[in-house]
Structures are given as C-alpha cells and as structure tokens.
Amino acid sequence: MFEKLVEQINSRIAFKPEIAIILGTGLGKFAENIDVIYELKYSDINGMPVSTAPSHEGRFVFGTIEGKNVVAMQGRVHLYEGYTPQQVVMPIRIMRALGAEKLIVTNAAGGINKNLNVGDFMMISDQISSFVPSPLIGKNDDTIGTRFPDMSNAYDKKLQALIKSTASELNIPIKSGVYAQLSGPQFETPAEIKMLSAIGADAVGMSTAIETIAAVHCGFKVCGISLISNLACGILDRPLSEEEVGDTASSVSERFEALIKGIIRNI
Ligand code: HPA
C-alpha cells in the first residue's frame, strides 16, 4: 500500500532527503527556513491521510537547510482525527523509503514534571506509549523492519548528545525527559496526570510515541524535542485551552528555529 504512495512522490520529484523532520503544533513556521525545492500537500497524494488538526498545514516540504537535504512534515496526522495507528505512521515510512536516515520529531506537550516551565524545550530521552495502540500490530512487513524491534535506544543516544551540545553552543537552555502519549483529543484529567507522573512521565501529548515506534521499526535514528506549551491539567489550577498551546509555540518559535537549524547543521 505505502509503496504506491512512495511511487506517487517519486514520479513528481527525484529527491533523496537525508533528514526528516516532523513539525508539531504551532511549530510549522520552521518550514520557512527551508530552501524549498518542492512542496506536496498530503491531499494531493492518493491514499494519504490528511491533517485536520488546527495549525497543521498538511504537506511535505522538500528542500535544503544548511546544505543538507531535508523533508519536513508541516503538520502531522493524529489518532484523535480518526486515523488508524497504521495511517498515522504512513508518512514516517514514506520518508524513510525516500531515503531519509535520521528523524527529528517535535511536538507541543503539557509539562508534568515540576521542573518544567511553559516555554521550555524538553529533549525527549524516552517515551511511554502504553496507552495507545502500537502501529506495528498486525502482520509484520519484513521488508520494512523486524517483528519485535528493540526500543532500548528509541531516541538515539548519539543524537541526544548532539542536541545537548548544539543547545549549549547556541546558549539555548534545554531540559530532558520522558514523553507519554495519550490518544486525546480531550486533555487529561488531574487523576490521569497524577498517574502519568507516578509512572515516570515528564510531559504528555497526543502524538509522537507511535511515530517513533514506526520510525525505529523502519530503521530511522530518531531524536525529539517537546515544546512545553502549558503545564498539564491539575499541575496548574485552571482549565487548558488549545489557544494556549499555539500561543506558547509562536512565542518561542525563533529559539526553536535556531535550535533545529543548529541540530541539522551539526548532524
Ligand atoms: N496534554 C495533552 N496534549 C498536549 C498538551 C497537554 O497538556 N499540551 C499540548 N499538547
């Protein structure tokens, strides 16, 4: 199925990306840093799931940054949009099939750990995906990856070191922690946040973990950064809103863009 999607892209553009980037909620503006060679809307690819979430443009942007070939997903698709886990990870497999070897995932997340503040960057050191279905359930495609992928180095240690050294080179503060994915679209209850805290999650969101599973499965080296767009429910004593998430993202977008560009330069 996904080979047909890859063919559709290859028939439009001959381009081998080295690095793939997923731009999360409110972070899509980073695509303006790309010397664009070609843009392709998900809706122009037959069989491709289409972004319906606010502030997710829903397109692949192919081009160069710092002289490196990149493909960026300006907007992702989420489970809560009604897509199956397999559909959600389709773009990941496509970008790998196009030749990308490293994947940078980004997202907006709610801070659970008391050391995290709104506007912080959190390098993802590990993840908890146990509350959402695995995208690998079902018959395994051995041409893509192994049946039982090892997840002990899901966020590549070398890339984690590179993120930290890049951040310090640029004087951009960055923390690190464990990201937990829940399906959403409702924000969590205070009881759920207590539970997540107890099991070791530092931040929570509605994406990324299943993408990382598929990415590891198909052989990507993965690294990730969460933007702490809000404190999780119950950490702060007031209701959460989607606007808050977008507003924080725009307020730190310059620092975010500098950091991602630096990471790409140093990869
Ligand atoms: N919870 C879940 N997803 C999120 C949050 C949150 O607090 N913030 C941004 N995405």
Side-chain angles (χ1 to χ4, degrees):
M1 164 68 184
F2 99 101
E3 289 88 351
K4 291 219 169 71
L5 305 190
V6 176
E7 270 167 34
Q8 289 180 58
I9 298 173
N10 278 333
S11 69
R12 288 170 159 113
I13 173 182
F15 181 81
K16 182 175 183 296
E18 175 188 350
I19 302 166
I21 316 164
I22 306 178
L23 298 168
T25 302
L27 301 170
K29 230 172 67 66
F30 176 77
E32 290 170 12
N33 291 280
I34 301 175
D35 292 321
V36 177
I37 294 173
Y38 195 71
E39 287 180 346
L40 187 55
K41 284 196 194 133
Y42 304 153
S43 55
D44 288 337
I45 309 170
N46 272 335
M48 177 84 178
V50 172
S51 301
T52 66
S55 85
H56 284 252
E57 295 282 348
R59 62 179 167 217
F60 286 119
V61 181
F62 299 92
T64 60
I65 301 181
E66 302 284 345
K68 304 223 163 104
N69 280 4
V70 302
V71 52
M73 285 175 65
Q74 203 179 19
R76 50 158 59 89
V77 290
H78 304 79
L79 286 174
Y80 65 71
E81 293 171 75
Y83 293 116
T84 64
Q86 289 77 12
Q87 284 175 307
V88 169
V89 303
M90 203 176 270
I92 311 286
R93 291 178 170 154
I94 289 174
M95 295 189 294
R96 177 80 182 114
L98 294 174
E101 291 175 358
K102 303 205 168 74
L103 174 67
I104 304 171
V105 293
T106 68
N107 59 49
I112 298 174
N113 188 311
K114 296 265 181 355
N115 293 324
L116 291 171
N117 301 307
V118 170
D120 277 355
F121 295 140
M122 184 191 87
M123 183 187 76
I124 307 175
S125 58
D126 203 351
Q127 69 178 28
I128 297 173
S129 69
S130 320
F131 302 102
V132 287
S134 169
L136 308 183
I137 291 173
K139 190 173 175 326
N140 188 56
D141 183 340
D142 295 330
T143 63
I144 297 179
T146 175
R147 171 77 287 188
F148 300 109
D150 171 60
M151 292 295 286
S152 57
N153 191 30
Y155 292 88
D156 185 73
K157 300 265 185 328
K158 279 194 191 143
L159 289 177
Q160 288 192 47
L162 186 142
I163 290 178
K164 282 199 179 142
S165 61
T166 304
S168 90
E169 169 196 323
L170 298 173
N171 255 326
I172 297 175
I174 190 161
K175 296 170 179 167
S176 73
V178 174
Y179 177 92
Q181 177 177 0
L182 268 60
S183 73
Q186 75 285 359
F187 286 117
E188 302 70 34
T189 62
E192 284 167 329
I193 295 302
K194 248 193 210 167
M195 169 195 71
L196 290 172
S197 174
I199 62 172
D202 298 302
V204 59
M206 305 174 190
S207 68
T208 303
I210 64 169
E211 295 164 345
T212 294
I213 293 171
V216 168
H217 178 245
C218 66
F220 264 119
K221 296 255 185 275
V222 185
C223 62
I225 298 173
S226 291
L227 159 65
I228 305 303
S229 57
N230 58 279
L231 298 186
C233 179
I235 304 286
L236 202 62
D237 194 17
R238 63 177 167 76
L240 287 182
S241 74
E242 188 241 314
E243 287 74 29
E244 189 175 344
V245 173
D247 289 350
T248 309
S250 352
S251 72
V252 299
S253 62
E254 243 174 65
R255 261 192 311 151
F256 175 79
E257 288 175 26
L259 179 58
I260 301 289
K261 262 170 103 165
I263 292 168
I264 292 171
R265 183 171 56 244
N266 290 339
I267 273 181

